[in-house]
Structure formats: structure tokens, C-alpha cells
Amino acid sequence: MTSFAHVDYPTQHPGIVRAERVAESVKQLASRLDGTRAVASLLLAAIVSAVLVVANQVIDTWTEGHLLAAWILMWTVAFAALALLATPAKRTAARLRTGLKAWRAARHQAAQDEKLWNVALTDARVMADISRAMSADAARDVRSYY
């Protein structure tokens, strides 16, 4: 007589399942982050760091035993910089992002125009279409003057 052993092995490795969950969590976290906010935070941190370095250099010149007062003054400068520079840093980051997006769009448009022109140089039909479109634009521009 024959007997069969039925062993149920899991179809997925538990470590792989955990790794997939971690990857999904990272994707969700990244999708929730606002690029402008992150850039503004980094810009603000850089500016405040620079202000703190300058404050530290100034305080080092006159501390001679007034270490506690120097630390209080330096942290006052740090928190004042955080409070005063948060909005301008966020605005600057938003402008940089908008400018970068416009620059990319202009480069993409220039590349597309270059491709079309290269095709037009080898295909008379495309050149005729471009010529017709330019003629129609010129006629429309002339009509607007009269």
C-alpha cells in the first residue's frame, strides 16, 4: 500500500514579502512628499547653518568666560533665522522649481523643432507643410495690422 506525504510549503518567502511591504511604504512616503517643501527645507537649513557659522565666529571673538551668554545668543540667532527666513526660502524654492520646469520644456521644444527641421530637410512634403504654416501665420499677422 502507498501513502503520500502532503507537505504544505509557503508559496512566498516571508523575507521577500517584508521587503515588498517596505518598498511599497517607501513609494507611498515619496509620493506624499512635496518637492517644493523639501527643497525649501534644505535651502532654509543651509541658510541657517551659514548664519550660525557667522554667529559662532562673532561670539568666539568676545566670549572670554561668557560661554553661557554666547550659547544663548547663538541659539537666539538660530531661531530668529528660522522664523524670518522660512517663507522666503519656500518662495525661492518654488521659483527655482518653476524655472527649472520651464527650462526643461523649452529644451524639449527646441529638440522637437530640431528633429522636425532635420526631417523637413530630407522630405519635401514636410518642408511644404512648414512653408504653408509660416505663410498662413504671416498672412494672419499682416491682417491684424489693417
Side-chain angles (χ1 to χ4, degrees):
M1 184 179 307
T2 307
S3 65
F4 293 99
H6 294 284
V7 181
D8 292 329
Y9 290 109
T11 58
Q12 292 182 332
H13 190 277
I16 299 296
V17 172
R18 277 195 308 267
E20 288 173 347
R21 284 187 199 145
V22 168
E24 186 63 33
S25 297
V26 169
K27 282 182 187 177
Q28 288 176 356
L29 180 64
S31 68
R32 283 187 277 156
L33 285 177
D34 182 18
T36 305
R37 184 181 234 172
V39 171
S41 298
L42 288 175
L43 185 62
L44 181 62
I47 292 170
V48 170
S49 297
V51 169
L52 281 176
V53 167
V54 170
N56 190 29
Q57 292 297 322
V58 169
I59 289 170
D60 274 346
T61 61
W62 60 268
T63 54
E64 299 178 10
H66 305 300
L67 194 57
L68 181 60
W71 274 103
I72 290 171
L73 181 65
M74 189 168 75
W75 283 108
T76 303
V77 168
F79 289 125
L82 279 172
L84 294 175
L85 298 174
T87 304
K90 192 172 186 177
R91 224 179 290 132
T92 302
R95 284 186 192 141
L96 284 173
R97 190 170 185 199
T98 304
L100 182 63
K101 195 179 288 187
W103 178 72
R104 280 186 195 148
R107 283 197 47 151
H108 181 70
Q109 183 64 39
Q112 293 298 320
D113 289 346
E114 184 70 25
K115 284 181 185 178
L116 180 64
W117 183 250
N118 287 335
V119 170
L121 290 175
T122 59
D123 191 350
R125 296 172 298 174
V126 176
M127 185 62 84
D129 286 345
I130 292 173
S131 178
R132 243 180 266 115
M134 290 173 67
S135 300
D137 285 344
R140 196 174 331 121
D141 288 342
V142 169
R143 276 190 228 125
S144 68
Y145 289 119
Y146 296 110

